[in-house]
Amino acid sequence: MNIQMLCSKIHRATVTDANLNYVGSITIDPKLMKAANLLEFQQVDVLDINNGERFSTYVIKGNKDGQICLNGAAARKVCVGDLVIIVAYASMDANEASKFTPTIVHVDDKNNIKTE
């Protein structure tokens, strides 16, 4: 049996843009994607700390430092300046899960990676 485990997370990122007229997705700074081991078109859940919204979408690689932009219908669920948690999950068996450590990326208010 496989279970879903947290694979990676970008914690408390600030939404920099919301583009209602785009097809859909979340655009993320490529440096943040790399640090969090996220792939373009990978499914993620977005958890809005400010308003409690939780929704699924997919990742598109951005082209700006610190970029976190919600696109399409998801743009209605956030406001620019909201804090969000972006999470991805992986399916694994219980043995693999017991040894797995997720990647967690903490960012500052400009979405720069914090080194702790």
Side-chain angles (χ1 to χ4, degrees):
M1 174 175 66
N2 281 349
I3 56 176
Q4 297 296 312
M5 296 290 293
L6 175 67
C7 177
S8 57
K9 171 171 85 165
I10 300 174
H11 191 70
R12 297 180 65 90
T14 302
V15 175
T16 59
D17 196 9
N19 183 352
L20 184 61
N21 296 312
Y22 193 80
V23 176
S25 63
I26 183 169
T27 306
I28 301 176
D29 171 346
K31 286 183 262 183
L32 291 175
M33 287 177 59
K34 183 175 181 182
N37 296 320
L38 294 173
L39 301 174
E40 191 163 29
F41 309 115
Q42 182 176 0
Q43 181 179 341
V44 292
D45 287 346
V46 179
L47 320 174
D48 190 309
I49 295 168
N50 294 79
N51 65 22
E53 287 282 356
R54 300 172 71 96
F55 54 92
S56 296
T57 189
Y58 61 92
V59 175
I60 290 181
K61 188 181 296 186
N63 58 11
K64 297 177 188 169
D65 286 348
Q67 183 177 28
I68 300 289
C69 177
L70 278 300
N71 303 300
R76 292 210 182 269
K77 296 188 170 283
V78 301
C79 291
V80 172
D82 281 1
L83 294 177
V84 294
I85 301 169
I86 303 161
V87 294
Y89 302 95
S91 180
M92 57 189 78
D93 65 37
N95 185 44
E96 185 179 10
S98 70
K99 300 172 186 149
F100 183 77
T101 302
T103 300
I104 299 176
V105 177
H106 293 270
V107 296
D108 64 17
D109 61 350
K110 302 289 186 201
N111 296 331
N112 297 307
I113 298 169
K114 290 183 181 179
T115 54
E116 299 181 82

Short mmCIF file of all heavy atoms in Angstrom, two decimals, residues 39-90:
data_model
loop_
_atom_site.label_atom_id
_atom_site.label_comp_id
_atom_site.label_asym_id
_atom_site.label_seq_id
_atom_site.Cartn_x
_atom_site.Cartn_y
_atom_site.Cartn_z
N LEU A 39 8.99 20.58 -9.96
CA LEU A 39 9.13 20.51 -11.41
C LEU A 39 8.02 21.30 -12.09
O LEU A 39 6.91 21.40 -11.57
CB LEU A 39 9.05 19.06 -11.88
CG LEU A 39 10.09 18.11 -11.30
CD1 LEU A 39 9.79 16.68 -11.73
CD2 LEU A 39 11.49 18.53 -11.73
N GLU A 40 8.34 21.83 -13.25
CA GLU A 40 7.30 22.51 -14.03
C GLU A 40 6.19 21.52 -14.36
O GLU A 40 6.46 20.36 -14.69
CB GLU A 40 7.89 23.12 -15.30
CG GLU A 40 6.91 24.05 -15.98
CD GLU A 40 7.55 24.98 -16.98
OE1 GLU A 40 8.58 24.61 -17.58
OE2 GLU A 40 7.01 26.08 -17.18
N PHE A 41 4.97 21.96 -14.21
CA PHE A 41 3.74 21.19 -14.44
C PHE A 41 3.42 20.20 -13.32
O PHE A 41 2.44 19.48 -13.41
CB PHE A 41 3.74 20.49 -15.80
CG PHE A 41 4.07 21.44 -16.92
CD1 PHE A 41 5.23 21.27 -17.66
CD2 PHE A 41 3.24 22.50 -17.22
CE1 PHE A 41 5.55 22.15 -18.69
CE2 PHE A 41 3.56 23.39 -18.24
CZ PHE A 41 4.71 23.22 -18.98
N GLN A 42 4.20 20.18 -12.25
CA GLN A 42 3.91 19.33 -11.10
C GLN A 42 2.70 19.89 -10.35
O GLN A 42 2.56 21.11 -10.19
CB GLN A 42 5.12 19.29 -10.17
CG GLN A 42 4.93 18.39 -8.96
CD GLN A 42 6.20 18.31 -8.11
OE1 GLN A 42 7.23 18.91 -8.42
NE2 GLN A 42 6.13 17.54 -7.05
N GLN A 43 1.85 19.02 -9.86
CA GLN A 43 0.70 19.43 -9.07
C GLN A 43 1.15 19.88 -7.69
O GLN A 43 2.01 19.23 -7.07
CB GLN A 43 -0.30 18.29 -8.92
CG GLN A 43 -1.53 18.70 -8.11
CD GLN A 43 -2.54 17.57 -7.98
OE1 GLN A 43 -2.52 16.62 -8.76
NE2 GLN A 43 -3.42 17.67 -7.01
N VAL A 44 0.58 20.98 -7.22
CA VAL A 44 0.84 21.47 -5.88
C VAL A 44 -0.48 21.92 -5.25
O VAL A 44 -1.44 22.22 -5.95
CB VAL A 44 1.84 22.66 -5.87
CG1 VAL A 44 3.23 22.22 -6.29
CG2 VAL A 44 1.35 23.82 -6.71
N ASP A 45 -0.49 21.96 -3.94
CA ASP A 45 -1.58 22.59 -3.21
C ASP A 45 -1.07 23.94 -2.72
O ASP A 45 0.09 24.08 -2.32
CB ASP A 45 -2.01 21.75 -2.01
CG ASP A 45 -2.78 20.51 -2.40
OD1 ASP A 45 -3.22 20.41 -3.57
OD2 ASP A 45 -2.95 19.64 -1.53
N VAL A 46 -1.95 24.92 -2.76
CA VAL A 46 -1.64 26.26 -2.27
C VAL A 46 -2.55 26.53 -1.08
O VAL A 46 -3.77 26.37 -1.18
CB VAL A 46 -1.85 27.33 -3.37
CG1 VAL A 46 -1.54 28.72 -2.84
CG2 VAL A 46 -1.01 27.01 -4.60
N LEU A 47 -1.94 26.90 0.04
CA LEU A 47 -2.67 27.17 1.28
C LEU A 47 -2.49 28.65 1.61
O LEU A 47 -1.37 29.09 1.88
CB LEU A 47 -2.12 26.31 2.41
CG LEU A 47 -1.76 24.86 2.06
CD1 LEU A 47 -1.10 24.18 3.24
CD2 LEU A 47 -2.96 24.10 1.59
N ASP A 48 -3.57 29.42 1.55
CA ASP A 48 -3.49 30.86 1.80
C ASP A 48 -3.65 31.10 3.29
O ASP A 48 -4.70 30.83 3.88
CB ASP A 48 -4.57 31.59 1.00
CG ASP A 48 -4.39 33.10 1.04
OD1 ASP A 48 -4.24 33.67 2.15
OD2 ASP A 48 -4.41 33.73 -0.03
N ILE A 49 -2.60 31.62 3.92
CA ILE A 49 -2.61 31.87 5.36
C ILE A 49 -3.59 32.99 5.71
O ILE A 49 -4.22 32.96 6.76
CB ILE A 49 -1.18 32.21 5.84
CG1 ILE A 49 -0.28 30.98 5.67
CG2 ILE A 49 -1.17 32.69 7.29
CD1 ILE A 49 1.20 31.26 5.84
N ASN A 50 -3.74 33.98 4.83
CA ASN A 50 -4.57 35.14 5.14
C ASN A 50 -6.07 34.84 5.13
O ASN A 50 -6.81 35.39 5.94
CB ASN A 50 -4.28 36.28 4.16
CG ASN A 50 -2.88 36.81 4.33
OD1 ASN A 50 -1.93 36.20 3.85
ND2 ASN A 50 -2.73 37.91 5.04
N ASN A 51 -6.52 33.98 4.21
CA ASN A 51 -7.96 33.79 4.09
C ASN A 51 -8.41 32.33 4.25
O ASN A 51 -9.61 32.05 4.17
CB ASN A 51 -8.48 34.35 2.76
CG ASN A 51 -7.94 33.62 1.55
OD1 ASN A 51 -7.50 32.48 1.62
ND2 ASN A 51 -7.97 34.28 0.40
N GLY A 52 -7.48 31.41 4.45
CA GLY A 52 -7.84 30.02 4.67
C GLY A 52 -8.13 29.21 3.43
O GLY A 52 -8.42 28.02 3.52
N GLU A 53 -8.05 29.80 2.24
CA GLU A 53 -8.28 29.05 0.99
C GLU A 53 -7.23 27.96 0.83
O GLU A 53 -6.07 28.15 1.18
CB GLU A 53 -8.23 29.98 -0.23
CG GLU A 53 -9.41 30.88 -0.38
CD GLU A 53 -10.63 30.19 -0.96
OE1 GLU A 53 -10.56 29.00 -1.34
OE2 GLU A 53 -11.67 30.85 -1.03
N ARG A 54 -7.67 26.83 0.30
CA ARG A 54 -6.78 25.71 -0.02
C ARG A 54 -7.21 25.20 -1.38
O ARG A 54 -8.38 24.88 -1.58
CB ARG A 54 -6.92 24.59 1.00
CG ARG A 54 -6.58 24.99 2.43
CD ARG A 54 -6.92 23.89 3.42
NE ARG A 54 -6.02 22.76 3.30
CZ ARG A 54 -4.95 22.56 4.05
NH1 ARG A 54 -4.64 23.40 5.00
NH2 ARG A 54 -4.18 21.50 3.86
N PHE A 55 -6.29 25.12 -2.33
CA PHE A 55 -6.64 24.66 -3.67
C PHE A 55 -5.44 24.03 -4.34
O PHE A 55 -4.30 24.25 -3.96
CB PHE A 55 -7.21 25.80 -4.52
CG PHE A 55 -6.32 27.01 -4.60
CD1 PHE A 55 -5.40 27.14 -5.63
CD2 PHE A 55 -6.42 28.02 -3.66
CE1 PHE A 55 -4.58 28.25 -5.72
CE2 PHE A 55 -5.60 29.14 -3.74
CZ PHE A 55 -4.68 29.26 -4.77
N SER A 56 -5.73 23.22 -5.36
CA SER A 56 -4.69 22.55 -6.14
C SER A 56 -4.53 23.24 -7.48
O SER A 56 -5.49 23.73 -8.06
CB SER A 56 -5.07 21.08 -6.39
OG SER A 56 -5.14 20.39 -5.18
N THR A 57 -3.30 23.25 -7.96
CA THR A 57 -2.99 23.78 -9.28
C THR A 57 -1.68 23.13 -9.72
O THR A 57 -1.27 22.13 -9.17
CB THR A 57 -2.92 25.33 -9.28
OG1 THR A 57 -2.83 25.81 -10.61
CG2 THR A 57 -1.77 25.86 -8.44
N TYR A 58 -1.04 23.68 -10.74
CA TYR A 58 0.23 23.13 -11.20
C TYR A 58 1.23 24.27 -11.37
O TYR A 58 0.87 25.43 -11.51
CB TYR A 58 0.06 22.34 -12.50
CG TYR A 58 -0.45 23.16 -13.66
CD1 TYR A 58 0.43 23.77 -14.54
CD2 TYR A 58 -1.81 23.34 -13.87
CE1 TYR A 58 -0.03 24.53 -15.61
CE2 TYR A 58 -2.28 24.09 -14.92
CZ TYR A 58 -1.39 24.69 -15.79
OH TYR A 58 -1.85 25.45 -16.83
N VAL A 59 2.51 23.90 -11.35
CA VAL A 59 3.61 24.86 -11.36
C VAL A 59 4.00 25.25 -12.78
O VAL A 59 4.11 24.39 -13.66
CB VAL A 59 4.85 24.27 -10.64
CG1 VAL A 59 6.05 25.20 -10.75
CG2 VAL A 59 4.52 23.94 -9.20
N ILE A 60 4.22 26.53 -12.98
CA ILE A 60 4.86 27.06 -14.19
C ILE A 60 6.11 27.81 -13.75
O ILE A 60 6.08 28.55 -12.76
CB ILE A 60 3.92 28.00 -14.97
CG1 ILE A 60 2.78 27.21 -15.60
CG2 ILE A 60 4.69 28.76 -16.05
CD1 ILE A 60 1.83 28.04 -16.41
N LYS A 61 7.20 27.60 -14.46
CA LYS A 61 8.46 28.26 -14.14
C LYS A 61 8.37 29.75 -14.45
O LYS A 61 8.02 30.14 -15.56
CB LYS A 61 9.61 27.64 -14.92
CG LYS A 61 10.98 28.15 -14.50
CD LYS A 61 12.10 27.54 -15.32
CE LYS A 61 12.17 26.05 -15.07
NZ LYS A 61 13.33 25.44 -15.75
N GLY A 62 8.69 30.56 -13.47
CA GLY A 62 8.67 32.01 -13.64
C GLY A 62 9.94 32.53 -14.28
O GLY A 62 10.84 31.77 -14.63
N ASN A 63 10.01 33.85 -14.37
CA ASN A 63 11.19 34.48 -14.96
C ASN A 63 11.65 35.69 -14.15
O ASN A 63 12.43 36.49 -14.64
CB ASN A 63 10.94 34.86 -16.42
CG ASN A 63 9.76 35.79 -16.58
OD1 ASN A 63 9.23 36.33 -15.61
ND2 ASN A 63 9.32 35.97 -17.82
N LYS A 64 11.12 35.83 -12.93
CA LYS A 64 11.50 36.96 -12.07
C LYS A 64 11.89 36.45 -10.69
O LYS A 64 11.28 35.52 -10.17
CB LYS A 64 10.32 37.92 -11.91
CG LYS A 64 9.85 38.56 -13.19
CD LYS A 64 8.64 39.43 -12.92
CE LYS A 64 8.03 39.92 -14.21
NZ LYS A 64 6.74 40.54 -13.99
N ASP A 65 12.89 37.10 -10.10
CA ASP A 65 13.28 36.76 -8.73
C ASP A 65 12.11 36.99 -7.79
O ASP A 65 11.46 38.03 -7.83
CB ASP A 65 14.46 37.61 -8.28
CG ASP A 65 15.77 37.20 -8.92
OD1 ASP A 65 15.82 36.12 -9.54
OD2 ASP A 65 16.75 37.97 -8.81
N GLY A 66 11.84 36.01 -6.95
CA GLY A 66 10.80 36.14 -5.93
C GLY A 66 9.38 36.01 -6.44
O GLY A 66 8.44 36.17 -5.67
N GLN A 67 9.21 35.68 -7.70
CA GLN A 67 7.88 35.64 -8.30
C GLN A 67 7.02 34.50 -7.75
O GLN A 67 7.41 33.35 -7.75
CB GLN A 67 8.01 35.49 -9.82
CG GLN A 67 6.72 35.50 -10.57
CD GLN A 67 6.94 35.42 -12.08
OE1 GLN A 67 7.93 34.86 -12.54
NE2 GLN A 67 6.03 35.98 -12.82
N ILE A 68 5.83 34.87 -7.26
CA ILE A 68 4.78 33.93 -6.89
C ILE A 68 3.49 34.53 -7.43
O ILE A 68 2.95 35.49 -6.87
CB ILE A 68 4.67 33.74 -5.35
CG1 ILE A 68 5.97 33.22 -4.75
CG2 ILE A 68 3.48 32.84 -5.01
CD1 ILE A 68 6.30 31.77 -5.08
N CYS A 69 3.03 34.01 -8.55
CA CYS A 69 1.86 34.57 -9.23
C CYS A 69 0.81 33.49 -9.41
O CYS A 69 1.09 32.45 -10.01
CB CYS A 69 2.26 35.15 -10.59
SG CYS A 69 0.85 35.78 -11.55
N LEU A 70 -0.39 33.74 -8.92
CA LEU A 70 -1.51 32.83 -9.14
C LEU A 70 -2.23 33.25 -10.40
O LEU A 70 -2.49 34.43 -10.61
CB LEU A 70 -2.47 32.86 -7.95
CG LEU A 70 -2.07 31.98 -6.77
CD1 LEU A 70 -1.94 30.53 -7.16
CD2 LEU A 70 -0.86 32.45 -6.06
N ASN A 71 -2.54 32.27 -11.24
CA ASN A 71 -3.09 32.53 -12.56
C ASN A 71 -4.48 31.90 -12.72
O ASN A 71 -4.80 30.91 -12.08
CB ASN A 71 -2.17 31.95 -13.63
CG ASN A 71 -0.77 32.52 -13.54
OD1 ASN A 71 -0.55 33.71 -13.65
ND2 ASN A 71 0.20 31.65 -13.31
N GLY A 72 -5.26 32.47 -13.64
CA GLY A 72 -6.57 31.92 -13.96
C GLY A 72 -7.50 31.98 -12.76
O GLY A 72 -7.47 32.92 -11.97
N ALA A 73 -8.32 30.94 -12.62
CA ALA A 73 -9.32 30.92 -11.54
C ALA A 73 -8.69 31.05 -10.16
O ALA A 73 -9.29 31.65 -9.26
CB ALA A 73 -10.13 29.62 -11.63
N ALA A 74 -7.48 30.52 -9.98
CA ALA A 74 -6.81 30.61 -8.68
C ALA A 74 -6.53 32.05 -8.28
O ALA A 74 -6.41 32.35 -7.09
CB ALA A 74 -5.52 29.80 -8.70
N ALA A 75 -6.46 32.95 -9.26
CA ALA A 75 -6.20 34.36 -8.97
C ALA A 75 -7.33 34.96 -8.13
O ALA A 75 -7.12 35.94 -7.41
CB ALA A 75 -6.03 35.15 -10.26
N ARG A 76 -8.52 34.39 -8.20
CA ARG A 76 -9.66 34.87 -7.40
C ARG A 76 -9.57 34.43 -5.94
O ARG A 76 -10.30 34.92 -5.09
CB ARG A 76 -10.97 34.37 -7.98
CG ARG A 76 -11.28 34.98 -9.32
CD ARG A 76 -12.77 35.06 -9.52
NE ARG A 76 -13.12 35.59 -10.81
CZ ARG A 76 -13.32 36.87 -11.05
NH1 ARG A 76 -13.20 37.76 -10.10
NH2 ARG A 76 -13.65 37.26 -12.28
N LYS A 77 -8.70 33.48 -5.64
CA LYS A 77 -8.62 32.92 -4.29
C LYS A 77 -7.56 33.57 -3.42
O LYS A 77 -7.43 33.23 -2.24
CB LYS A 77 -8.38 31.41 -4.38
CG LYS A 77 -9.54 30.68 -5.05
CD LYS A 77 -9.36 29.20 -4.95
CE LYS A 77 -10.59 28.46 -5.39
NZ LYS A 77 -11.66 28.47 -4.39
N VAL A 78 -6.78 34.49 -3.99
CA VAL A 78 -5.70 35.15 -3.26
C VAL A 78 -5.73 36.65 -3.55
O VAL A 78 -6.35 37.09 -4.50
CB VAL A 78 -4.31 34.60 -3.64
CG1 VAL A 78 -4.21 33.11 -3.37
CG2 VAL A 78 -3.97 34.91 -5.08
N CYS A 79 -5.01 37.38 -2.73
CA CYS A 79 -4.75 38.79 -2.99
C CYS A 79 -3.24 38.98 -3.01
O CYS A 79 -2.51 38.28 -2.30
CB CYS A 79 -5.33 39.67 -1.88
SG CYS A 79 -7.13 39.71 -1.85
N VAL A 80 -2.78 39.90 -3.83
CA VAL A 80 -1.36 40.24 -3.82
C VAL A 80 -1.00 40.65 -2.40
O VAL A 80 -1.71 41.40 -1.74
CB VAL A 80 -1.06 41.38 -4.83
CG1 VAL A 80 0.38 41.86 -4.68
CG2 VAL A 80 -1.33 40.90 -6.25
N GLY A 81 0.10 40.10 -1.90
CA GLY A 81 0.54 40.36 -0.54
C GLY A 81 0.17 39.26 0.44
O GLY A 81 0.71 39.21 1.55
N ASP A 82 -0.76 38.36 0.05
CA ASP A 82 -1.11 37.24 0.92
C ASP A 82 0.10 36.33 1.13
O ASP A 82 0.95 36.19 0.24
CB ASP A 82 -2.23 36.39 0.32
CG ASP A 82 -3.61 36.99 0.51
OD1 ASP A 82 -3.73 38.09 1.10
OD2 ASP A 82 -4.59 36.36 0.06
N LEU A 83 0.15 35.70 2.29
CA LEU A 83 1.16 34.68 2.56
C LEU A 83 0.57 33.32 2.21
O LEU A 83 -0.58 33.02 2.58
CB LEU A 83 1.56 34.69 4.03
CG LEU A 83 2.29 35.94 4.51
CD1 LEU A 83 2.57 35.85 6.00
CD2 LEU A 83 3.58 36.15 3.74
N VAL A 84 1.35 32.51 1.49
CA VAL A 84 0.90 31.19 1.09
C VAL A 84 1.95 30.14 1.43
O VAL A 84 3.13 30.44 1.53
CB VAL A 84 0.56 31.12 -0.43
CG1 VAL A 84 -0.64 31.99 -0.76
CG2 VAL A 84 1.75 31.48 -1.29
N ILE A 85 1.47 28.91 1.58
CA ILE A 85 2.33 27.75 1.71
C ILE A 85 2.07 26.91 0.47
O ILE A 85 0.91 26.63 0.15
CB ILE A 85 2.02 26.96 2.99
CG1 ILE A 85 2.20 27.85 4.22
CG2 ILE A 85 2.90 25.72 3.09
CD1 ILE A 85 1.66 27.26 5.50
N ILE A 86 3.11 26.55 -0.23
CA ILE A 86 3.01 25.76 -1.46
C ILE A 86 3.56 24.37 -1.14
O ILE A 86 4.71 24.26 -0.73
CB ILE A 86 3.79 26.43 -2.60
CG1 ILE A 86 3.30 27.86 -2.82
CG2 ILE A 86 3.69 25.60 -3.88
CD1 ILE A 86 4.27 28.75 -3.57
N VAL A 87 2.72 23.35 -1.30
CA VAL A 87 3.12 22.00 -0.91
C VAL A 87 2.95 21.02 -2.06
O VAL A 87 2.02 21.13 -2.85
CB VAL A 87 2.36 21.50 0.33
CG1 VAL A 87 2.71 22.32 1.56
CG2 VAL A 87 0.87 21.50 0.11
N ALA A 88 3.85 20.06 -2.11
CA ALA A 88 3.77 18.96 -3.07
C ALA A 88 3.88 17.66 -2.28
O ALA A 88 4.56 17.60 -1.25
CB ALA A 88 4.90 19.05 -4.10
N TYR A 89 3.22 16.65 -2.78
CA TYR A 89 3.18 15.35 -2.12
C TYR A 89 3.77 14.28 -3.04
O TYR A 89 3.80 14.45 -4.25
CB TYR A 89 1.75 14.97 -1.76
CG TYR A 89 1.09 16.00 -0.87
CD1 TYR A 89 0.30 17.01 -1.41
CD2 TYR A 89 1.26 15.98 0.51
CE1 TYR A 89 -0.30 17.97 -0.60
CE2 TYR A 89 0.67 16.93 1.33
CZ TYR A 89 -0.12 17.93 0.76
OH TYR A 89 -0.70 18.87 1.56
N ALA A 90 4.20 13.17 -2.45
CA ALA A 90 4.69 12.03 -3.22
C ALA A 90 4.07 10.77 -2.65
O ALA A 90 3.82 10.68 -1.45
CB ALA A 90 6.21 11.95 -3.14
#
